[in-house]
Amino acid sequence: MAAAADQVIAEGKRRGGAPLVCASGVSPSGPIHLGNLREITVPHFVADEIRRRGLECRHLLSWDDYDRLRKVPAGVPASFSEHIGRPLTAVPDPCGEHENWAEHFKVPLRSALAQLGVEVDEISQTQMYTSGAYREQIVHAMRHRQQIDGVLGRYRTKKVEVEQDEEDLAAASAGGYYPYRPYCEVCERDSTVVISFDDASTQMRYRCDCSHEGGFALSETDGGKLVWKVDWPMRWAFEGVTFEAGGVDHSSPGSSFTVGSQLVREVFDGLPPSYLGYSFVGISGMAKMSSSKGGVPTPIDILEVLEPAVLRWLYNRRQPRQSFQVALDQEILRLYDEWDALGRKAAVGTATDLEVAVRARSIGPAAGPLPATPKPLPFRTLASVADVAAGDPEQTLRILQDFTVEEPLASLDEAQPRLDRAQAWVTTYVPAEDRTQVRVEPDRDRLEQLPPAQREALKLLLDGLDAHWSLDGLTSLLYGVPKIQSGLPLDAPASPELKVAQRELFVLLYELLVGRDTGPRLPTLLLALGADRIRSLLALA
């Protein structure tokens, strides 16, 4: 982000020392997913880098809440289709808890941004349009409609590729081009076309699909908005935006940004911002995310299992044009391992300058670090304990104290908030069939039928529990039992035959303890169960 910050600072200087303004825009038309979050995090990290250099920088978050409701997302009653075409702020909240549809989807994102340390200045486009803030810009655009149409014509194609193009074409469907869509005064929808506009009086007439014909003077009355490809550059000029990011679908030749850059110069007497295109964010193999399809995790959902610093790290460790996946399966264990390893490298001075900078941006914004877990035990350990202890706090503390013998936890608070996230991951994202179900009673039939070598292995394990009761000790014991049986010293290298014997012992223990041939790491599982319970399940007759 350092290079992007350099460009933004240079852009401010080119504009005669203009304020530095980074902008994001999000439509609260449905659940705001992790792809939408990149629209906010890219400008955030650029603004944050600028602030770290001691310069002031605003980060605007424009809520496109005056946009029409285009479709009803999955999980919302079909009856809401009657509101399609109305402004998002004029549609009821589907749960009845918030002021309107838009607020229903804004609230959880606000909570997520607060946890992530992302500070923004919110702008409601409903408030801006209905208050008359853009009246002068609307009239100006309507008076320069032929010029706008000429710019758009350079890039129009016969194929309509995105909804914004449909909006653009609709604006030209009444025999002339008008870059404005009124909301009908009767049905409140934008199923309208402008049929006339008088440059002098600013009187506009429109026709709606509901059969209503109406009109008003745009210099005096507010009741519609500019079409997207005109609205975006208008706001660059109005807000003095010096940096904005956009998805790859807005960044290709002939895209919204290309068109907007022409319009802001030729129509609104402004300058396009410094710009970065970003790629998509996926979830565990899902294709490009869509709010309307339902079932897409949102930032507040992900923060139930990822610490804020880890989620920030995911978004700033790669270049914006690189796509990435947020894995909620077993890959989350590796993700936490990598994050912890980076922290250890930074602590001992072996991290590169780039790694140090990325980690610094991840642990918190320029204002200071975010709250962190005092004693961050490995996430995979906490997940295994949460799985076995089934949320019992007393049992969880006992197990974790065995993991931290040298500096035992005084309370579970020292493992928070990471512990809660591990418990949430196990409960929410680990399939029920993969959860650990420890046997209540020993498998006596199996134990009685064990061959001598396996009986000997169990005896060696049980006899060594007390002397090896630690994570490292149990690991050594488990791998050492087959070595002892083979007459080898404990530090003997593992031959292919020895690895087979170790694997056979591990499978036997899983089957006798949890009734299947896999499970949590065995040393972790043994510590979680406790010596007494292990003996009760493995004791030979």
Side-chain angles (χ1 to χ4, degrees), residues 177-241:
Y177 179 79
Y178 299 99
Y180 180 79
R181 295 285 293 278
Y183 282 106
C184 178
E185 298 156 288
V186 174
C187 72
E188 301 179 323
R189 297 179 178 87
D190 71 342
S191 51
T192 60
V193 289
V194 175
I195 54 179
S196 67
F197 176 74
D198 182 73
D199 287 1
S201 68
T202 75
Q203 187 69 30
M204 178 271 305
R205 299 289 300 173
Y206 70 88
R207 180 186 303 115
C208 180
D209 288 349
C210 74
S211 300
H212 175 72
E213 285 194 18
F216 47 85
L218 293 181
S219 60
E220 301 173 2
T221 305
D222 311 293
K225 67 185 293 290
L226 294 172
V227 297
W228 162 248
K229 285 188 177 178
V230 181
D231 172 86
W232 198 16
M234 178 275 290
R235 285 194 250 165
W236 291 341
F238 188 88
E239 301 289 355
V241 176

Side-chain angles (χ1 to χ4, degrees), residues 13 99 207:
K13 291 179 179 178
E99 183 179 352
R207 180 186 303 115

Side-chain angles (χ1 to χ4, degrees), residues 31 41 53 91 114 116 127 159 237 269 321-322 332 385 406 408 433 435 460 472 492-493 499 513 521 535 537 539:
T41 58
R53 301 181 188 184
V91 179
L116 290 167
Q127 193 277 329
K159 180 180 178 182
D269 194 27
R321 286 195 174 275
Q322 291 179 291
I332 196 173
V385 173
E406 295 182 1
E433 61 270 20
R435 298 284 299 276
L460 288 170
D472 290 340
K499 290 181 179 179
L513 295 173
R521 292 185 67 243
R535 290 191 174 96
L537 292 174

Side-chain angles (χ1 to χ4, degrees), residues 450-458 485:
L450 291 179
Q454 290 186 336
R455 296 174 70 88
E456 180 189 28
L458 292 186
Q485 288 185 287

Side-chain angles (χ1 to χ4, degrees), residues 439 443 446-447 458 508-514 537-538:
R439 288 184 182 275
D443 186 351
R446 178 74 182 279
L447 288 167
L458 292 186
L508 173 65
L509 291 173
Y510 281 127
E511 290 174 344
L512 292 173
L513 295 173
V514 298
L537 292 174
L538 301 182

Side-chain angles (χ1 to χ4, degrees), residues 22-29 32-33 35-44 59-65 67 88 106 109 113 120-125 164 228 231-232 235-236 241 243-247 249-250 275 278:
C22 296
S24 301
V26 175
S27 174
S29 58
I32 299 168
H33 54 63
N36 302 135
L37 183 61
R38 206 167 199 184
E39 168 70 23
I40 299 173
T41 58
V42 172
H44 164 71
H59 181 184
L60 305 181
L61 172 55
S62 282
W63 291 111
D64 291 319
D65 51 13
D67 286 359
L88 297 172
K106 290 181 188 180
L109 183 65
L113 294 181
V120 294
D121 294 338
E122 295 185 35
I123 297 176
S124 164
Q125 291 305 311
Q164 284 86 358
W228 162 248
D231 172 86
W232 198 16
R235 285 194 250 165
W236 291 341
V241 176
F243 176 81
E244 186 150 359
D249 50 344
H250 295 309
Y275 184 81
Y278 57 80

Side-chain angles (χ1 to χ4, degrees), residues 490-525:
L490 291 179
D491 60 354
S495 64
E497 295 79 12
L498 190 56
K499 290 181 179 179
V500 171
Q502 290 169 335
R503 175 60 185 161
E504 289 176 349
L505 174 60
F506 298 165
V507 170
L508 173 65
L509 291 173
Y510 281 127
E511 290 174 344
L512 292 173
L513 295 173
V514 298
R516 50 196 179 98
D517 60 5
T518 61
R521 292 185 67 243
L522 270 174
T524 303
L525 177 61

Side-chain angles (χ1 to χ4, degrees), residues 134-452:
Y134 295 149
R135 279 186 193 172
E136 182 179 335
Q137 284 71 26
I138 292 170
V139 170
H140 180 79
M142 289 290 273
R143 286 172 173 163
H144 291 78
R145 58 191 178 277
Q146 292 182 348
Q147 186 179 3
I148 293 172
D149 190 32
V151 172
L152 294 174
R154 301 172 200 165
Y155 302 99
R156 282 196 189 106
T157 62
K158 293 181 180 180
K159 180 180 178 182
V160 177
E161 296 181 348
V162 292
E163 288 171 332
Q164 284 86 358
D165 289 325
E166 293 175 355
E167 185 181 55
D168 170 36
L169 293 173
S173 64
Y177 179 79
Y178 299 99
Y180 180 79
R181 295 285 293 278
Y183 282 106
C184 178
E185 298 156 288
V186 174
C187 72
E188 301 179 323
R189 297 179 178 87
D190 71 342
S191 51
T192 60
V193 289
V194 175
I195 54 179
S196 67
F197 176 74
D198 182 73
D199 287 1
S201 68
T202 75
Q203 187 69 30
M204 178 271 305
R205 299 289 300 173
Y206 70 88
R207 180 186 303 115
C208 180
D209 288 349
C210 74
S211 300
H212 175 72
E213 285 194 18
F216 47 85
L218 293 181
S219 60
E220 301 173 2
T221 305
D222 311 293
K225 67 185 293 290
L226 294 172
V227 297
W228 162 248
K229 285 188 177 178
V230 181
D231 172 86
W232 198 16
M234 178 275 290
R235 285 194 250 165
W236 291 341
F238 188 88
E239 301 289 355
V241 176
T242 47
F243 176 81
E244 186 150 359
V248 293
D249 50 344
H250 295 309
S251 310
S252 57
S255 65
S256 302
F257 182 74
T258 303
V259 174
S261 297
Q262 296 291 322
L263 291 177
V264 72
R265 288 189 177 99
E266 298 181 24
V267 177
F268 296 106
D269 194 27
L271 293 171
S274 177
Y275 184 81
L276 266 181
Y278 57 80
S279 290
F280 301 122
V281 178
I283 296 289
S284 300
M286 291 175 61
K288 177 184 175 183
M289 284 181 281
S290 169
S291 296
S292 63
K293 292 182 179 178
V296 176
T298 63
I300 202 66
D301 295 329
I302 299 300
L303 284 169
E304 292 182 357
V305 297
L306 288 184
E307 293 177 306
V310 178
L311 187 55
R312 285 175 65 94
W313 181 55
L314 275 176
Y315 278 82
N316 88 85
R317 66 175 177 168
R318 292 184 176 87
Q319 293 296 319
R321 286 195 174 275
Q322 291 179 291
S323 60
F324 66 91
Q325 298 277 332
V326 179
L328 294 174
D329 53 14
Q330 295 291 324
E331 282 295 298
I332 196 173
L333 307 179
R334 182 183 58 80
L335 176 67
Y336 269 100
D337 286 346
E338 290 180 357
W339 170 248
D340 290 345
L342 176 59
R344 290 190 295 271
K345 288 174 66 177
V348 299
T350 59
T352 66
D353 290 344
L354 177 60
E355 287 174 329
V356 170
V358 169
R359 184 174 183 275
R361 290 196 295 264
S362 301
I363 62 176
L370 299 171
T373 302
K375 291 187 176 180
L377 294 172
F379 187 84
R380 64 175 64 244
T381 296
L382 295 177
S384 295
V385 173
D387 186 20
V388 176
D392 184 310
E394 207 171 294
Q395 178 84 333
T396 300
L397 180 59
R398 176 194 67 77
I399 299 168
L400 293 181
Q401 285 176 333
D402 282 337
F403 276 101
T404 56
V405 176
E406 295 182 1
E407 295 182 36
L409 291 180
S411 72
L412 292 181
D413 290 343
E414 292 182 313
Q416 299 291 11
R418 183 174 287 195
L419 175 59
D420 278 347
R421 282 160 172 78
Q423 290 175 330
W425 178 71
V426 169
T427 302
T428 307
Y429 296 104
V430 177
E433 61 270 20
D434 292 338
R435 298 284 299 276
T436 301
Q437 299 292 330
V438 179
R439 288 184 182 275
V440 178
E441 297 290 338
D443 186 351
R444 293 185 176 87
D445 290 342
R446 178 74 182 279
L447 288 167
E448 290 173 1
Q449 296 173 20
L450 291 179

